[in-house]
Amino acid sequence: MIDVGLLLTMIVAVGVPSLVARWWPLTTFGEPVGFLDVAIWPAMVGLGVGRLVAVALDGPSSLGSLSDLLIIRSGVEFWPGVAAAMLAAAWSAHRSGVASFDRLADLVPLALIGYAGYEATCLVRDGCYGPETSLGIRPPGTSTTMLPVGILAAIAVVVGAVVLHRQLGRRASWAVVMGGLTVVAGVRSLAAIWLPHIGDGLTRQHWSSIAVLLATVPALTAGVLGGHPATRERQLLDR
């Protein structure tokens, strides 16, 4: 049976940034390329690694079952998947003779658009959950109107993508990459506060996002305070 919600999510997460790429063309490939052409391989690597890590943590006995591994909906570890996708993109850049951070920074704004599409499609998956409100959306199977945290997360990520796209060429590439990680980690850390979960403590996904946020904020701050790369070069030449 086809999981229509998951299928629509994948279409939106890849299709929307592919459309946006017409206005935000990629510049580190030497020739015009589509987002789908360059993102599908890192995305598949990230999805595979994220699934393997999730299974290893939650049900190691399932590692020997291909059918269990392929049930993506039952859990993917987000940040290991992100790390694997970034490494795959960096490796591809190295093979092409392009600086890894330049390639990653080139991809970050469109990747954020794709992630925003994933968050927004909570509408077609299990429903958009959040705190109870008088005005909001009623998720399937509930009688309570809730503020759709997924939709708000998507809006915040899109804003972050626009800001970071405007910083391309103005800030060091590594700072743009750190900015992208900070946006996603910050949004996920805040959103997880209102999303339903079992128990009273932080979920693994929640604390891992907080850990990434704490790691990237200092690097992002250094990048912002560092100023325009070209400005620093001119200052060195003037000495």
Side-chain angles (χ1 to χ4, degrees):
M1 182 177 181
I2 298 176
D3 189 331
V4 177
L6 184 59
L7 178 61
L8 290 175
T9 295
M10 295 173 66
I11 292 173
V12 171
V14 175
V16 173
S18 296
L19 291 175
V20 174
R22 297 184 178 184
W23 294 275
W24 294 357
L26 298 167
T27 60
T28 60
F29 291 88
E31 59 184 17
V33 294
F35 178 76
L36 180 60
D37 297 327
V38 300
I40 191 66
W41 167 243
M44 293 302 294
V45 171
L47 191 61
V49 171
R51 178 59 183 156
L52 285 172
V53 173
V55 172
L57 291 173
D58 294 330
S61 60
S62 297
L63 287 173
S65 172
L66 181 60
S67 59
D68 289 342
L69 289 174
L70 292 177
I71 305 176
I72 301 297
R73 215 182 217 283
S74 63
V76 174
E77 204 68 15
F78 182 80
W79 288 111
V82 170
M86 292 177 64
L87 287 173
W91 178 75
S92 176
H94 176 73
R95 291 191 62 190
S96 303
V98 177
S100 296
F101 273 113
D102 289 346
R103 173 65 56 80
L104 292 173
D106 198 19
L107 291 170
V108 158
L110 292 176
L112 289 183
I113 295 295
Y115 177 70
Y118 167 80
E119 288 286 359
T121 49
C122 60
L123 291 168
V124 298
R125 293 196 306 275
D126 301 320
C128 298
Y129 294 92
E132 296 182 11
T133 59
S134 56
L135 294 175
I137 296 176
R138 183 174 297 171
T142 68
S143 58
T144 305
T145 302
M146 300 182 182
L147 187 69
V149 170
I151 302 299
L152 298 180
I155 293 172
V157 173
V158 168
V159 172
V162 172
V163 171
L164 290 173
H165 181 261
R166 291 178 177 176
Q167 297 305 310
L168 291 174
R170 300 180 181 180
R171 301 288 178 185
S173 294
W174 63 266
V176 174
V177 175
M178 291 300 108
L181 293 173
T182 300
V183 168
V184 176
V187 167
R188 287 178 65 86
S189 296
L190 288 174
I193 295 173
W194 294 285
L195 295 178
H197 63 276
I198 299 174
D200 297 327
L202 299 182
T203 64
R204 188 169 67 236
Q205 297 284 4
H206 193 176
W207 68 252
S208 61
S209 292
I210 293 175
V212 173
L213 181 64
L214 293 175
T216 56
V217 165
L220 176 60
T221 302
V224 171
L225 296 178
H228 193 302
T231 301
R232 294 197 300 274
E233 291 176 4
R234 285 196 297 270
Q235 290 174 344
L236 292 174
L237 291 173
D238 290 340
R239 291 181 179 177

mmCIF file with all atom_site columns, all heavy atoms in Angstrom, residues 76-98:
data_model
loop_
_atom_site.group_PDB
_atom_site.id
_atom_site.type_symbol
_atom_site.label_atom_id
_atom_site.label_alt_id
_atom_site.label_comp_id
_atom_site.label_asym_id
_atom_site.label_entity_id
_atom_site.label_seq_id
_atom_site.pdbx_PDB_ins_code
_atom_site.Cartn_x
_atom_site.Cartn_y
_atom_site.Cartn_z
_atom_site.occupancy
_atom_site.B_iso_or_equiv
_atom_site.pdbx_formal_charge
_atom_site.auth_seq_id
_atom_site.auth_comp_id
_atom_site.auth_asym_id
_atom_site.auth_atom_id
_atom_site.pdbx_PDB_model_num
ATOM 1   N N   . VAL A 1 76 ? 13.743 7.820  11.580 1.00 0.00 ? 76 VAL A N   1
ATOM 2   C CA  . VAL A 1 76 ? 15.036 8.177  10.986 1.00 0.00 ? 76 VAL A CA  1
ATOM 3   C C   . VAL A 1 76 ? 15.714 9.142  11.940 1.00 0.00 ? 76 VAL A C   1
ATOM 4   O O   . VAL A 1 76 ? 15.097 10.116 12.384 1.00 0.00 ? 76 VAL A O   1
ATOM 5   C CB  . VAL A 1 76 ? 14.865 8.830  9.601  1.00 0.00 ? 76 VAL A CB  1
ATOM 6   C CG1 . VAL A 1 76 ? 16.202 9.320  9.069  1.00 0.00 ? 76 VAL A CG1 1
ATOM 7   C CG2 . VAL A 1 76 ? 14.227 7.861  8.613  1.00 0.00 ? 76 VAL A CG2 1
ATOM 8   N N   . GLU A 1 77 ? 16.960 8.872  12.269 1.00 0.00 ? 77 GLU A N   1
ATOM 9   C CA  . GLU A 1 77 ? 17.696 9.761  13.180 1.00 0.00 ? 77 GLU A CA  1
ATOM 10  C C   . GLU A 1 77 ? 18.153 10.975 12.389 1.00 0.00 ? 77 GLU A C   1
ATOM 11  O O   . GLU A 1 77 ? 18.966 10.872 11.463 1.00 0.00 ? 77 GLU A O   1
ATOM 12  C CB  . GLU A 1 77 ? 18.877 9.027  13.788 1.00 0.00 ? 77 GLU A CB  1
ATOM 13  C CG  . GLU A 1 77 ? 19.338 9.610  15.100 1.00 0.00 ? 77 GLU A CG  1
ATOM 14  C CD  . GLU A 1 77 ? 18.335 9.414  16.225 1.00 0.00 ? 77 GLU A CD  1
ATOM 15  O OE1 . GLU A 1 77 ? 17.400 8.590  16.090 1.00 0.00 ? 77 GLU A OE1 1
ATOM 16  O OE2 . GLU A 1 77 ? 18.481 10.102 17.255 1.00 0.00 ? 77 GLU A OE2 1
ATOM 17  N N   . PHE A 1 78 ? 17.619 12.149 12.738 1.00 0.00 ? 78 PHE A N   1
ATOM 18  C CA  . PHE A 1 78 ? 17.752 13.332 11.897 1.00 0.00 ? 78 PHE A CA  1
ATOM 19  C C   . PHE A 1 78 ? 19.189 13.815 11.743 1.00 0.00 ? 78 PHE A C   1
ATOM 20  O O   . PHE A 1 78 ? 19.705 13.937 10.623 1.00 0.00 ? 78 PHE A O   1
ATOM 21  C CB  . PHE A 1 78 ? 16.879 14.459 12.466 1.00 0.00 ? 78 PHE A CB  1
ATOM 22  C CG  . PHE A 1 78 ? 16.907 15.714 11.631 1.00 0.00 ? 78 PHE A CG  1
ATOM 23  C CD1 . PHE A 1 78 ? 16.144 15.807 10.490 1.00 0.00 ? 78 PHE A CD1 1
ATOM 24  C CD2 . PHE A 1 78 ? 17.703 16.803 11.996 1.00 0.00 ? 78 PHE A CD2 1
ATOM 25  C CE1 . PHE A 1 78 ? 16.168 16.958 9.709  1.00 0.00 ? 78 PHE A CE1 1
ATOM 26  C CE2 . PHE A 1 78 ? 17.728 17.946 11.235 1.00 0.00 ? 78 PHE A CE2 1
ATOM 27  C CZ  . PHE A 1 78 ? 16.956 18.031 10.083 1.00 0.00 ? 78 PHE A CZ  1
ATOM 28  N N   . TRP A 1 79 ? 19.875 14.097 12.840 1.00 0.00 ? 79 TRP A N   1
ATOM 29  C CA  . TRP A 1 79 ? 21.175 14.750 12.739 1.00 0.00 ? 79 TRP A CA  1
ATOM 30  C C   . TRP A 1 79 ? 22.271 13.848 12.174 1.00 0.00 ? 79 TRP A C   1
ATOM 31  O O   . TRP A 1 79 ? 23.106 14.326 11.377 1.00 0.00 ? 79 TRP A O   1
ATOM 32  C CB  . TRP A 1 79 ? 21.579 15.362 14.080 1.00 0.00 ? 79 TRP A CB  1
ATOM 33  C CG  . TRP A 1 79 ? 20.762 16.579 14.389 1.00 0.00 ? 79 TRP A CG  1
ATOM 34  C CD1 . TRP A 1 79 ? 19.812 16.720 15.365 1.00 0.00 ? 79 TRP A CD1 1
ATOM 35  C CD2 . TRP A 1 79 ? 20.779 17.819 13.676 1.00 0.00 ? 79 TRP A CD2 1
ATOM 36  N NE1 . TRP A 1 79 ? 19.248 17.972 15.307 1.00 0.00 ? 79 TRP A NE1 1
ATOM 37  C CE2 . TRP A 1 79 ? 19.830 18.676 14.287 1.00 0.00 ? 79 TRP A CE2 1
ATOM 38  C CE3 . TRP A 1 79 ? 21.504 18.306 12.599 1.00 0.00 ? 79 TRP A CE3 1
ATOM 39  C CZ2 . TRP A 1 79 ? 19.583 19.971 13.844 1.00 0.00 ? 79 TRP A CZ2 1
ATOM 40  C CZ3 . TRP A 1 79 ? 21.273 19.600 12.144 1.00 0.00 ? 79 TRP A CZ3 1
ATOM 41  C CH2 . TRP A 1 79 ? 20.323 20.418 12.767 1.00 0.00 ? 79 TRP A CH2 1
ATOM 42  N N   . PRO A 1 80 ? 22.328 12.562 12.501 1.00 0.00 ? 80 PRO A N   1
ATOM 43  C CA  . PRO A 1 80 ? 23.280 11.701 11.791 1.00 0.00 ? 80 PRO A CA  1
ATOM 44  C C   . PRO A 1 80 ? 23.011 11.685 10.284 1.00 0.00 ? 80 PRO A C   1
ATOM 45  O O   . PRO A 1 80 ? 23.947 11.637 9.483  1.00 0.00 ? 80 PRO A O   1
ATOM 46  C CB  . PRO A 1 80 ? 23.046 10.327 12.426 1.00 0.00 ? 80 PRO A CB  1
ATOM 47  C CG  . PRO A 1 80 ? 22.592 10.640 13.804 1.00 0.00 ? 80 PRO A CG  1
ATOM 48  C CD  . PRO A 1 80 ? 21.716 11.849 13.647 1.00 0.00 ? 80 PRO A CD  1
ATOM 49  N N   . GLY A 1 81 ? 21.733 11.732 9.906  1.00 0.00 ? 81 GLY A N   1
ATOM 50  C CA  . GLY A 1 81 ? 21.399 11.792 8.486  1.00 0.00 ? 81 GLY A CA  1
ATOM 51  C C   . GLY A 1 81 ? 21.883 13.080 7.832  1.00 0.00 ? 81 GLY A C   1
ATOM 52  O O   . GLY A 1 81 ? 22.407 13.063 6.720  1.00 0.00 ? 81 GLY A O   1
ATOM 53  N N   . VAL A 1 82 ? 21.713 14.201 8.539  1.00 0.00 ? 82 VAL A N   1
ATOM 54  C CA  . VAL A 1 82 ? 22.198 15.481 8.025  1.00 0.00 ? 82 VAL A CA  1
ATOM 55  C C   . VAL A 1 82 ? 23.712 15.458 7.855  1.00 0.00 ? 82 VAL A C   1
ATOM 56  O O   . VAL A 1 82 ? 24.252 15.907 6.837  1.00 0.00 ? 82 VAL A O   1
ATOM 57  C CB  . VAL A 1 82 ? 21.782 16.635 8.962  1.00 0.00 ? 82 VAL A CB  1
ATOM 58  C CG1 . VAL A 1 82 ? 22.489 17.938 8.582  1.00 0.00 ? 82 VAL A CG1 1
ATOM 59  C CG2 . VAL A 1 82 ? 20.266 16.835 8.918  1.00 0.00 ? 82 VAL A CG2 1
ATOM 60  N N   . ALA A 1 83 ? 24.408 14.936 8.860  1.00 0.00 ? 83 ALA A N   1
ATOM 61  C CA  . ALA A 1 83 ? 25.871 14.860 8.796  1.00 0.00 ? 83 ALA A CA  1
ATOM 62  C C   . ALA A 1 83 ? 26.319 14.013 7.606  1.00 0.00 ? 83 ALA A C   1
ATOM 63  O O   . ALA A 1 83 ? 27.256 14.373 6.876  1.00 0.00 ? 83 ALA A O   1
ATOM 64  C CB  . ALA A 1 83 ? 26.426 14.293 10.101 1.00 0.00 ? 83 ALA A CB  1
ATOM 65  N N   . ALA A 1 84 ? 25.649 12.873 7.387  1.00 0.00 ? 84 ALA A N   1
ATOM 66  C CA  . ALA A 1 84 ? 26.010 11.996 6.276  1.00 0.00 ? 84 ALA A CA  1
ATOM 67  C C   . ALA A 1 84 ? 25.755 12.677 4.937  1.00 0.00 ? 84 ALA A C   1
ATOM 68  O O   . ALA A 1 84 ? 26.567 12.572 4.004  1.00 0.00 ? 84 ALA A O   1
ATOM 69  C CB  . ALA A 1 84 ? 25.215 10.690 6.371  1.00 0.00 ? 84 ALA A CB  1
ATOM 70  N N   . ALA A 1 85 ? 24.634 13.393 4.812  1.00 0.00 ? 85 ALA A N   1
ATOM 71  C CA  . ALA A 1 85 ? 24.321 14.096 3.568  1.00 0.00 ? 85 ALA A CA  1
ATOM 72  C C   . ALA A 1 85 ? 25.357 15.187 3.290  1.00 0.00 ? 85 ALA A C   1
ATOM 73  O O   . ALA A 1 85 ? 25.785 15.378 2.141  1.00 0.00 ? 85 ALA A O   1
ATOM 74  C CB  . ALA A 1 85 ? 22.916 14.698 3.649  1.00 0.00 ? 85 ALA A CB  1
ATOM 75  N N   . MET A 1 86 ? 25.768 15.902 4.329  1.00 0.00 ? 86 MET A N   1
ATOM 76  C CA  . MET A 1 86 ? 26.776 16.951 4.155  1.00 0.00 ? 86 MET A CA  1
ATOM 77  C C   . MET A 1 86 ? 28.120 16.363 3.737  1.00 0.00 ? 86 MET A C   1
ATOM 78  O O   . MET A 1 86 ? 28.804 16.917 2.865  1.00 0.00 ? 86 MET A O   1
ATOM 79  C CB  . MET A 1 86 ? 26.923 17.754 5.452  1.00 0.00 ? 86 MET A CB  1
ATOM 80  C CG  . MET A 1 86 ? 25.711 18.597 5.791  1.00 0.00 ? 86 MET A CG  1
ATOM 81  S SD  . MET A 1 86 ? 25.876 19.467 7.379  1.00 0.00 ? 86 MET A SD  1
ATOM 82  C CE  . MET A 1 86 ? 27.263 20.552 7.034  1.00 0.00 ? 86 MET A CE  1
ATOM 83  N N   . LEU A 1 87 ? 28.486 15.235 4.326  1.00 0.00 ? 87 LEU A N   1
ATOM 84  C CA  . LEU A 1 87 ? 29.739 14.585 3.954  1.00 0.00 ? 87 LEU A CA  1
ATOM 85  C C   . LEU A 1 87 ? 29.699 14.107 2.507  1.00 0.00 ? 87 LEU A C   1
ATOM 86  O O   . LEU A 1 87 ? 30.696 14.205 1.780  1.00 0.00 ? 87 LEU A O   1
ATOM 87  C CB  . LEU A 1 87 ? 30.018 13.414 4.894  1.00 0.00 ? 87 LEU A CB  1
ATOM 88  C CG  . LEU A 1 87 ? 30.464 13.779 6.311  1.00 0.00 ? 87 LEU A CG  1
ATOM 89  C CD1 . LEU A 1 87 ? 30.550 12.536 7.185  1.00 0.00 ? 87 LEU A CD1 1
ATOM 90  C CD2 . LEU A 1 87 ? 31.813 14.505 6.288  1.00 0.00 ? 87 LEU A CD2 1
ATOM 91  N N   . ALA A 1 88 ? 28.541 13.590 2.077  1.00 0.00 ? 88 ALA A N   1
ATOM 92  C CA  . ALA A 1 88 ? 28.404 13.146 0.692  1.00 0.00 ? 88 ALA A CA  1
ATOM 93  C C   . ALA A 1 88 ? 28.536 14.322 -0.274 1.00 0.00 ? 88 ALA A C   1
ATOM 94  O O   . ALA A 1 88 ? 29.212 14.218 -1.313 1.00 0.00 ? 88 ALA A O   1
ATOM 95  C CB  . ALA A 1 88 ? 27.056 12.440 0.497  1.00 0.00 ? 88 ALA A CB  1
ATOM 96  N N   . ALA A 1 89 ? 27.925 15.448 0.061  1.00 0.00 ? 89 ALA A N   1
ATOM 97  C CA  . ALA A 1 89 ? 28.022 16.635 -0.791 1.00 0.00 ? 89 ALA A CA  1
ATOM 98  C C   . ALA A 1 89 ? 29.443 17.186 -0.800 1.00 0.00 ? 89 ALA A C   1
ATOM 99  O O   . ALA A 1 89 ? 29.949 17.621 -1.838 1.00 0.00 ? 89 ALA A O   1
ATOM 100 C CB  . ALA A 1 89 ? 27.043 17.708 -0.303 1.00 0.00 ? 89 ALA A CB  1
ATOM 101 N N   . ALA A 1 90 ? 30.104 17.164 0.361  1.00 0.00 ? 90 ALA A N   1
ATOM 102 C CA  . ALA A 1 90 ? 31.485 17.647 0.445  1.00 0.00 ? 90 ALA A CA  1
ATOM 103 C C   . ALA A 1 90 ? 32.425 16.751 -0.353 1.00 0.00 ? 90 ALA A C   1
ATOM 104 O O   . ALA A 1 90 ? 33.344 17.237 -1.033 1.00 0.00 ? 90 ALA A O   1
ATOM 105 C CB  . ALA A 1 90 ? 31.926 17.708 1.903  1.00 0.00 ? 90 ALA A CB  1
ATOM 106 N N   . TRP A 1 91 ? 32.209 15.444 -0.301 1.00 0.00 ? 91 TRP A N   1
ATOM 107 C CA  . TRP A 1 91 ? 33.030 14.497 -1.069 1.00 0.00 ? 91 TRP A CA  1
ATOM 108 C C   . TRP A 1 91 ? 32.860 14.724 -2.560 1.00 0.00 ? 91 TRP A C   1
ATOM 109 O O   . TRP A 1 91 ? 33.827 14.712 -3.322 1.00 0.00 ? 91 TRP A O   1
ATOM 110 C CB  . TRP A 1 91 ? 32.648 13.078 -0.682 1.00 0.00 ? 91 TRP A CB  1
ATOM 111 C CG  . TRP A 1 91 ? 33.403 12.027 -1.451 1.00 0.00 ? 91 TRP A CG  1
ATOM 112 C CD1 . TRP A 1 91 ? 34.696 11.660 -1.282 1.00 0.00 ? 91 TRP A CD1 1
ATOM 113 C CD2 . TRP A 1 91 ? 32.887 11.211 -2.513 1.00 0.00 ? 91 TRP A CD2 1
ATOM 114 N NE1 . TRP A 1 91 ? 35.041 10.657 -2.174 1.00 0.00 ? 91 TRP A NE1 1
ATOM 115 C CE2 . TRP A 1 91 ? 33.944 10.363 -2.935 1.00 0.00 ? 91 TRP A CE2 1
ATOM 116 C CE3 . TRP A 1 91 ? 31.644 11.106 -3.129 1.00 0.00 ? 91 TRP A CE3 1
ATOM 117 C CZ2 . TRP A 1 91 ? 33.775 9.436  -3.958 1.00 0.00 ? 91 TRP A CZ2 1
ATOM 118 C CZ3 . TRP A 1 91 ? 31.478 10.183 -4.149 1.00 0.00 ? 91 TRP A CZ3 1
ATOM 119 C CH2 . TRP A 1 91 ? 32.541 9.361  -4.556 1.00 0.00 ? 91 TRP A CH2 1
ATOM 120 N N   . SER A 1 92 ? 31.614 14.968 -2.989 1.00 0.00 ? 92 SER A N   1
ATOM 121 C CA  . SER A 1 92 ? 31.351 15.253 -4.400 1.00 0.00 ? 92 SER A CA  1
ATOM 122 C C   . SER A 1 92 ? 32.050 16.536 -4.831 1.00 0.00 ? 92 SER A C   1
ATOM 123 O O   . SER A 1 92 ? 32.607 16.618 -5.936 1.00 0.00 ? 92 SER A O   1
ATOM 124 C CB  . SER A 1 92 ? 29.842 15.374 -4.623 1.00 0.00 ? 92 SER A CB  1
ATOM 125 O OG  . SER A 1 92 ? 29.554 15.743 -5.949 1.00 0.00 ? 92 SER A OG  1
ATOM 126 N N   . ALA A 1 93 ? 32.040 17.542 -3.943 1.00 0.00 ? 93 ALA A N   1
ATOM 127 C CA  . ALA A 1 93 ? 32.717 18.798 -4.256 1.00 0.00 ? 93 ALA A CA  1
ATOM 128 C C   . ALA A 1 93 ? 34.219 18.583 -4.393 1.00 0.00 ? 93 ALA A C   1
ATOM 129 O O   . ALA A 1 93 ? 34.859 19.113 -5.310 1.00 0.00 ? 93 ALA A O   1
ATOM 130 C CB  . ALA A 1 93 ? 32.428 19.831 -3.163 1.00 0.00 ? 93 ALA A CB  1
ATOM 131 N N   . HIS A 1 94 ? 34.800 17.805 -3.481 1.00 0.00 ? 94 HIS A N   1
ATOM 132 C CA  . HIS A 1 94 ? 36.235 17.529 -3.531 1.00 0.00 ? 94 HIS A CA  1
ATOM 133 C C   . HIS A 1 94 ? 36.627 16.843 -4.839 1.00 0.00 ? 94 HIS A C   1
ATOM 134 O O   . HIS A 1 94 ? 37.644 17.189 -5.448 1.00 0.00 ? 94 HIS A O   1
ATOM 135 C CB  . HIS A 1 94 ? 36.620 16.648 -2.336 1.00 0.00 ? 94 HIS A CB  1
ATOM 136 C CG  . HIS A 1 94 ? 38.064 16.224 -2.334 1.00 0.00 ? 94 HIS A CG  1
ATOM 137 N ND1 . HIS A 1 94 ? 39.091 17.106 -2.043 1.00 0.00 ? 94 HIS A ND1 1
ATOM 138 C CD2 . HIS A 1 94 ? 38.650 15.025 -2.612 1.00 0.00 ? 94 HIS A CD2 1
ATOM 139 C CE1 . HIS A 1 94 ? 40.245 16.459 -2.137 1.00 0.00 ? 94 HIS A CE1 1
ATOM 140 N NE2 . HIS A 1 94 ? 40.002 15.198 -2.480 1.00 0.00 ? 94 HIS A NE2 1
ATOM 141 N N   . ARG A 1 95 ? 35.804 15.905 -5.275 1.00 0.00 ? 95 ARG A N   1
ATOM 142 C CA  . ARG A 1 95 ? 36.085 15.218 -6.539 1.00 0.00 ? 95 ARG A CA  1
ATOM 143 C C   . ARG A 1 95 ? 36.006 16.165 -7.729 1.00 0.00 ? 95 ARG A C   1
ATOM 144 O O   . ARG A 1 95 ? 36.672 15.955 -8.746 1.00 0.00 ? 95 ARG A O   1
ATOM 145 C CB  . ARG A 1 95 ? 35.092 14.073 -6.747 1.00 0.00 ? 95 ARG A CB  1
ATOM 146 C CG  . ARG A 1 95 ? 35.268 12.904 -5.796 1.00 0.00 ? 95 ARG A CG  1
ATOM 147 C CD  . ARG A 1 95 ? 34.439 11.729 -6.249 1.00 0.00 ? 95 ARG A CD  1
ATOM 148 N NE  . ARG A 1 95 ? 34.858 11.260 -7.562 1.00 0.00 ? 95 ARG A NE  1
ATOM 149 C CZ  . ARG A 1 95 ? 34.186 10.359 -8.281 1.00 0.00 ? 95 ARG A CZ  1
ATOM 150 N NH1 . ARG A 1 95 ? 33.052 9.857  -7.810 1.00 0.00 ? 95 ARG A NH1 1
ATOM 151 N NH2 . ARG A 1 95 ? 34.628 9.976  -9.453 1.00 0.00 ? 95 ARG A NH2 1
ATOM 152 N N   . SER A 1 96 ? 35.207 17.228 -7.592 1.00 0.00 ? 96 SER A N   1
ATOM 153 C CA  . SER A 1 96 ? 35.050 18.194 -8.681 1.00 0.00 ? 96 SER A CA  1
ATOM 154 C C   . SER A 1 96 ? 36.049 19.336 -8.586 1.00 0.00 ? 96 SER A C   1
ATOM 155 O O   . SER A 1 96 ? 36.024 20.248 -9.423 1.00 0.00 ? 96 SER A O   1
ATOM 156 C CB  . SER A 1 96 ? 33.622 18.757 -8.662 1.00 0.00 ? 96 SER A CB  1
ATOM 157 O OG  . SER A 1 96 ? 32.665 17.731 -8.771 1.00 0.00 ? 96 SER A OG  1
ATOM 158 N N   . GLY A 1 97 ? 36.901 19.324 -7.552 1.00 0.00 ? 97 GLY A N   1
ATOM 159 C CA  . GLY A 1 97 ? 37.881 20.391 -7.387 1.00 0.00 ? 97 GLY A CA  1
ATOM 160 C C   . GLY A 1 97 ? 37.303 21.660 -6.822 1.00 0.00 ? 97 GLY A C   1
ATOM 161 O O   . GLY A 1 97 ? 37.857 22.746 -7.024 1.00 0.00 ? 97 GLY A O   1
ATOM 162 N N   . VAL A 1 98 ? 36.182 21.540 -6.093 1.00 0.00 ? 98 VAL A N   1
ATOM 163 C CA  . VAL A 1 98 ? 35.522 22.697 -5.492 1.00 0.00 ? 98 VAL A CA  1
ATOM 164 C C   . VAL A 1 98 ? 35.684 22.621 -3.983 1.00 0.00 ? 98 VAL A C   1
ATOM 165 O O   . VAL A 1 98 ? 35.603 21.532 -3.395 1.00 0.00 ? 98 VAL A O   1
ATOM 166 C CB  . VAL A 1 98 ? 34.017 22.727 -5.849 1.00 0.00 ? 98 VAL A CB  1
ATOM 167 C CG1 . VAL A 1 98 ? 33.310 23.882 -5.159 1.00 0.00 ? 98 VAL A CG1 1
ATOM 168 C CG2 . VAL A 1 98 ? 33.831 22.799 -7.357 1.00 0.00 ? 98 VAL A CG2 1
#
